[in-house]
Amino acid sequence: MPAAESPTFSTTREGELTLDDHEAIAAMLARAFPSYDHWYAGARSWAGMQPELRVVAREGDVVVAHAGLRRQFVTVGDADLLVTAVGMVAVSPTVQGTGLGGELLRRVDAALTTLDSGFGVLETGDDVQGFYRRGGWLPLDGLTAHYTAFSGDGAGVLVTQDHGWLLREGTRTLADWPQGELHWNGQMV
Ligand SMILES: CC(C)(COP(=O)(O)OP(=O)(O)OC[C@H]1O[C@@H](n2cnc3c(N)ncnc32)[C@H](O)[C@@H]1OP(=O)(O)O)[C@@H](O)C(=O)NCCC(=O)NCCS
């Protein structure tokens, strides 16, 4: 088999995506998150909050890696805080374990710098924590956060999550993170 071409990365504002882009992203996300493939039907290329910026890697027209980012004001303790939520981080199952995820996180870092909110924030399960730690993300130990999750039919449910939160330092560091519980006051990317 000939060596596969290196994927091409691009970082694109949401308003610049075409319908074909949304379909190609949704198709990859459905394969990477099979338990949640009901979210990624047709051209619906987001799960909760629609991102404002996408980092996408393509081989030809096929999307092989993706991350979504969106700046959001959240409440932490008594403070209003601007953060960038990062989500839908995925590599196509056919090319996982080949270094593409690490490259994706480096592109996410560059996108976080562009968005300039100070912090990147995400939540993930124990099985993937090591991937993000490898990419420089830091645990927000002991943080409890509340957000709205949506079922496939659009019903919103308040969810409380008391572990798995990670922070990417930017112009602000872990030491700047306020004390208290985090309220997303809505959905996350
Ligand atoms: C998690 C995911 C994005 C990783 O992408 P990938 O292309 O397989 O990762 P890479 O091959 O680039 O690995 C980068 C580094 O992270 C490590 N790593 C990858 N997955 C890991 C995991 N689950 N746990 C711990 N470390 C992991 C690799 O060993 C590698 O380390 P190294 O640089 O020291 O060799 C990919 O497995 C995926 O899409 N999974 C399904 C969707 C998902 O779970 N997304 C995250 C949910 S928030």
Side-chain angles (χ1 to χ4, degrees), residues 6-11 55-58 64-66 99-105 107:
S6 293
T8 305
F9 275 89
S10 58
T11 299
V55 180
V56 180
R58 291 182 176 80
V64 292
H66 170 273
L100 202 49
E103 179 61 24
L104 179 66
L105 289 188
R107 307 284 176 145

Side-chain angles (χ1 to χ4, degrees), residues 9-12 14 17 25 28-29 33 45 51-57 63-70 85-91 101 103-109 111 122 131-132 137 189:
F9 275 89
S10 58
T11 299
T12 309
E14 194 71 7
L17 294 178
I25 292 167
M28 195 283 284
L29 292 173
F33 297 105
S45 66
E52 67 171 304
L53 203 64
R54 310 273 193 155
V55 180
V56 180
V63 170
V64 292
H66 170 273
L69 300 88
R70 183 173 195 95
V86 177
M88 296 183 290
V89 175
V91 170
E103 179 61 24
L104 179 66
L105 289 188
R106 286 189 284 280
R107 307 284 176 145
V108 167
D109 282 349
L122 62 77
F131 166 69
Y132 290 106
W137 288 72
V189 165

Side-chain angles (χ1 to χ4, degrees), residues 18-43:
T18 66
L19 189 57
D20 285 349
D21 291 330
H22 282 293
E23 285 180 349
I25 292 167
M28 195 283 284
L29 292 173
R31 287 195 301 275
F33 297 105
S35 308
Y36 301 100
D37 60 359
H38 52 287
W39 280 341
Y40 302 115

Side-chain angles (χ1 to χ4, degrees), residues 11 42 53 55 61 67 80 83 89 91 95 133 136 151 163 169-170 187:
T11 299
L53 203 64
V55 180
D61 292 336
D80 279 337
V83 303
V89 175
V91 170
V95 286
R133 299 284 286 274
S151 64
H163 64 277
E169 295 179 322
Q187 307 159 58

